[in-house]
Amino acid sequence: MALLQVDRLSKIYQQHHAVQDISFSVEEGQCVALLGPNGAGKTTTINMLTGLIQPTSGGIHLYQQGTKVEDRRPYMGYLPQMPSFYSWMSGREFVCYAGQLHGLTRKEAEQRAAEWLQRVGLEEASRRKIGGYSGGMKQRLGFAQALIHRPKLLILDEPVSALDPVGRRDVLNLLRELQQETTILFSTHVLHDAEEICDQIIMMRDGRVAIQGQLDDIRDRYSEPVITVVAGNASNPQVKAWMTEISRKPYVLRSELQRESMTLTVSDLELAEREIWKDAMQHRIFIRRFEAGQSTLEDLFLKVVQS
Ligand SMILES: Nc1ncnc2c1ncn2[C@@H]1O[C@H](COP(=O)(O)OP(=O)(O)O)[C@@H](O)[C@H]1O
Ligand SMILES: [Mg+2]
């Protein structure tokens, strides 16, 4: 059942189309990644979903048991890209305060704040001032704040982008856990994060949706055979010339040449493999490594971003 339905949404600033005519839906229980390079329109989209900015046109509908709700905001929890906290408050005070803003009584807020602070691993630090929290701790505090009113849809804008590897791992683990109990939509420009945890991706570019769908379907549909060849030694000028020649063969769709290796997206894996070996032998090129595989989602992402 669709929880969120976005219908031909656009946002125009003066002449600039930050978001152009995007449509997608989010099913209940799914984890959706909004992907795209900087400037693609992710934050603008999220800000429209959360009601922070008004769309220029288009509709956003949230359904509760199949019925559209009038005001979607109480059903959403939101963590902005750059959350700001009152550094003089303790973590506990801040989450309680957020709960009360969402209409919980003080007692309810305190009880749930304690639960969530424990869930996000901030129980021990909960009485300390936020000013002394690390980036990862602040991000986890942001999660507690966004979840205190038990939203149906959790929306996170680049939740891991600013974190160090440890903080990043913590937040991804937390997301994986939360995925079991709530619907999540998060933006990221790091494809790997999306690939790790989400079911559905929406890839944006220049304010438009470039590719969207279930992650598995997209993998099946777009993955192409790729060959990586590491040849001879780099100081041999013949190697470079040979690689350039190979990259122009009709079975090569795209190529990337490095100093002594090349990555080729090919139309026919078997044919390419045979031809490359044959050609290398004819030219007396020594192949040190030869790998045949499939393109990754990262390759697809780069292709979309660069096209
Ligand atoms: N308030 C604004 N006024 C004018 N242009 C804006 C505003 N906010 C965003 N934009 C422009 O809209 C585009 C999309 O921005 P944004 O949604 O922040 O992208 P992302 O989050 O994917 O990096 C960018 O070109 C950005 O410069
Ligand atoms: Mg952004």
Side-chain angles (χ1 to χ4, degrees), residues 63-74:
Y63 298 89
Q64 172 78 315
Q65 271 136 21
T67 311
K68 192 175 132 184
V69 301
E70 276 301 314
D71 183 3
R72 64 183 181 278
R73 285 170 304 178

Side-chain angles (χ1 to χ4, degrees), residues 69-254:
V69 301
E70 276 301 314
D71 183 3
R72 64 183 181 278
R73 285 170 304 178
Y75 299 92
M76 293 179 163
Y78 167 56
L79 178 61
Q81 186 162 4
M82 309 233 188
S84 54
F85 301 103
Y86 299 112
S87 55
W88 45 269
M89 275 190 180
S90 71
R92 219 170 75 106
E93 283 166 342
F94 182 77
V95 181
C96 277
Y97 165 72
Q100 285 173 279
L101 286 183
H102 280 296
L104 301 180
T105 65
R106 191 184 173 84
K107 210 169 150 217
E108 278 173 329
E110 275 177 3
Q111 193 184 347
R112 287 206 208 164
E115 283 168 26
W116 278 112
L117 286 162
Q118 191 203 6
R119 280 289 304 277
V120 301
L122 286 177
E123 196 177 21
E124 272 178 42
S126 67
R127 285 170 199 276
R128 297 210 318 254
K129 298 244 179 300
I130 299 170
Y133 282 18
S134 69
M137 289 165 82
K138 281 188 185 155
Q139 202 66 330
R140 283 184 278 141
L141 182 67
F143 273 76
Q145 162 275 130
L147 288 159
I148 182 108
H149 59 298
R150 298 196 182 123
K152 298 283 286 180
L153 177 63
L154 179 63
I155 298 181
L156 313 153
D157 197 358
E158 304 263 2
V160 289
S161 304
L163 299 177
D164 62 22
V166 177
R168 188 185 203 93
R169 180 69 21 226
D170 283 353
V171 167
L172 284 174
N173 286 340
L174 181 60
L175 269 176
R176 202 172 283 122
E177 259 181 60
L178 290 170
Q179 209 183 347
Q180 313 297 323
E181 50 204 279
T182 185
T183 311
I184 301 173
L185 184 137
F186 74 103
S187 72
T188 178
H189 63 270
V190 184
L191 198 119
H192 188 67
D193 297 337
E195 221 172 354
E196 252 188 74
I197 51 175
C198 68
D199 313 295
Q200 186 189 338
I201 58 172
I202 301 166
M203 238 186 236
M204 288 185 75
R205 179 176 176 257
D206 295 338
R208 293 180 182 275
V209 173
I211 293 172
Q212 65 171 313
Q214 296 295 312
L215 190 57
D216 294 339
D217 293 345
I218 289 177
R219 264 209 196 95
D220 290 348
R221 184 145 36 109
Y222 293 97
S223 82
E224 296 170 309
V226 169
I227 291 175
T228 305
V229 181
V230 183
N233 64 21
S235 55
N236 180 352
Q238 277 176 334
V239 171
K240 191 78 210 250
W242 177 74
M243 293 201 305
T244 308
E245 197 184 308
I246 291 290
S247 70
R248 293 182 183 142
K249 297 281 185 193
Y251 54 79
V252 175
L253 302 174
R254 281 184 307 284

Side-chain angles (χ1 to χ4, degrees), residues 55-66:
T56 305
S57 60
I60 302 165
H61 313 291
L62 194 127
Y63 298 89
Q64 172 78 315
Q65 271 136 21

Side-chain angles (χ1 to χ4, degrees), residues 13 16 18 37-44 81:
Y13 289 112
H16 181 69
N38 289 329
K42 303 182 296 296
T43 297
T44 307
Q81 186 162 4

